[in-house]
Amino acid sequence: MGAFRPHALLLAVLAGSVAGSSPARAQCRLCETPTTTLSNSPGGDGIVLEIETSLDFDRLVLAGQGQGAAVIRPDGSHLAEGALASVSPRAMVGRATVHGDADRAVRVELPSRVDLYSVSGGHIGMDEIVSDLPSLPRLDSAGNLTFRFGGRVQISGDSDGDYRGDLPITVEYQ
């Protein structure tokens, strides 16, 4: 039987790259110099996306050279699969708040896949990105909507390193 040789892998996904095609798009507060007020665009279409917590898998421990996956769900639960021995208890689900016009319906889009890169040039993918948003999200009477999001990373025994990436979130009024 082979020796147990755990490898630590750090994963942080910075949620906040924001894209959109209308004046109602949200702003990433992690990207450039943020503004703290709603825009005064015609029609009152100001909308802001605030990332409160980045999705962070923290340390993943591999128990060998095989394939494994780590899952963090929007409810905060996490799961290790395959050659992955464990997910750190410090792993955190992503959390975001949309600010805008009260009682307006919004469309929030998360990508189906995100690429993560290490400083040494390593590359892994994150997929199964999900949120706890209702099927028809709407800002509350104060103009806010908070949601959490998670995903799954797939790794192999040679994936040692600290990986980071951007998770673009698009927010628009309906």
Side-chain angles (χ1 to χ4, degrees), residues 6-107:
H7 300 279
L9 176 70
L10 294 174
L11 294 171
V13 178
L14 301 176
S17 294
V18 179
S21 60
S22 74
R25 91 178 151 230
Q27 174 193 5
C28 169
R29 290 189 175 210
L30 297 176
C31 302
E32 298 173 359
T33 305
T35 61
T36 57
T37 60
L38 297 177
S39 69
N40 292 324
S41 58
D45 286 339
I47 191 167
V48 175
L49 174 66
E50 177 182 4
I51 303 301
E52 296 176 3
T53 308
S54 294
L55 178 58
D56 189 346
F57 287 84
D58 195 46
R59 293 185 191 271
L60 304 176
V61 179
L62 290 168
Q65 296 296 318
Q67 300 288 325
V71 178
I72 298 179
R73 295 185 184 97
D75 66 4
S77 63
H78 46 82
L79 170 70
E81 300 173 338
L84 193 62
S86 68
V87 177
S88 170
R90 296 184 314 186
M92 294 189 318
V93 66
R95 182 180 162 108
T97 300
V98 178
H99 304 283
D101 296 337
D103 299 316
R104 294 263 323 250
V106 293
R107 182 174 53 88

Side-chain angles (χ1 to χ4, degrees), residues 152-170:
R152 177 181 74 154
V153 293
Q154 296 184 28
I155 54 177
S156 63
D158 61 350
S159 299
D160 205 15
D162 186 2
Y163 290 80
R164 297 189 181 275
D166 291 329
L167 191 152
I169 300 172
T170 303

